[in-house]
Amino acid sequence: MEKEEYFKHSDGWVFWCLNNGKLNVKYLYCMIMSGDYVNHAIFNLDEINDGMSRLESEGYLEIINNKVKLTQKAKAFKKEHHVRFELCIPQMLRYCHIFEKMQLEKDPVYKRYFTQDEYDTAVRKYCKY
């Protein structure tokens, strides 16, 4: 990498919402729901796709047979940064602050995990408008 790049603040929010599961609209819906629950805001599509791309490139998640899997590195991060009795919102904010100070070690490979149509479907289902 020529210039120093760092995770984005929103990558901590994305990381907080990730779970093991099948990469589909239902998974996207759950991410949107979790993200709104903890941050009272709805991810935009770029935050999800770009955040997941950086997290995958840096080894925090992997996609195997169209399934999202948190890696040992992700589990170790959660264990290392565990604060007993911490509520979810302070935890998510802390993850955001930690990630935005972390320099990327590899050039991110940006992927499109979800399409605009999948995103629109998940948001419509979640917002019911």
Side-chain angles (χ1 to χ4, degrees):
M1 285 178 22
E2 281 184 25
K3 70 175 197 138
E4 292 182 1
E5 284 190 61
Y6 292 82
F7 281 99
K8 305 288 185 226
H9 184 83
S10 61
D11 294 345
W13 182 26
V14 170
F15 179 77
W16 189 91
C17 294
L18 290 175
N19 288 307
N20 293 331
K22 189 167 181 162
L23 194 60
N24 57 24
V25 174
K26 183 179 178 184
Y27 186 87
L28 178 58
Y29 171 87
C30 291
M31 279 189 72
I32 289 169
M33 181 179 64
S34 296
D36 186 30
Y37 170 77
V38 74
N39 202 27
H40 306 295
I42 294 178
F43 288 113
N44 67 45
L45 183 58
D46 289 338
E47 287 173 324
I48 294 170
N49 283 332
D50 292 352
M52 287 180 67
S53 293
R54 284 185 288 274
L55 290 164
E56 183 179 13
S57 293
E58 291 296 314
Y60 288 95
L61 69 99
E62 56 188 9
I63 310 296
I64 301 172
N65 296 325
N66 211 36
K67 292 182 182 173
V68 178
K69 184 174 183 249
L70 295 178
T71 63
Q72 286 305 116
K73 185 175 182 177
K75 293 172 187 174
F77 177 92
K78 288 184 176 191
K79 185 175 181 177
E80 177 183 344
H81 296 286
H82 175 75
V83 174
R84 193 169 179 193
F85 303 120
E86 183 176 44
L87 299 174
C88 58
I89 294 171
Q91 181 184 55
M92 180 275 303
L93 290 172
R94 202 163 45 74
Y95 284 2
C96 290
H97 295 305
I98 292 168
F99 271 103
E100 72 182 345
K101 292 179 179 127
M102 290 171 50
Q103 186 175 345
L104 298 177
E105 296 174 5
K106 301 173 184 160
D107 286 325
V109 176
Y110 289 100
K111 297 181 181 179
R112 198 169 88 176
Y113 299 90
F114 301 102
T115 65
Q116 186 67 53
D117 286 341
E118 290 170 321
Y119 176 80
D120 291 344
T121 298
V123 170
R124 268 195 308 276
K125 182 178 176 185
Y126 178 69
C127 295
K128 296 179 183 161
Y129 59 83

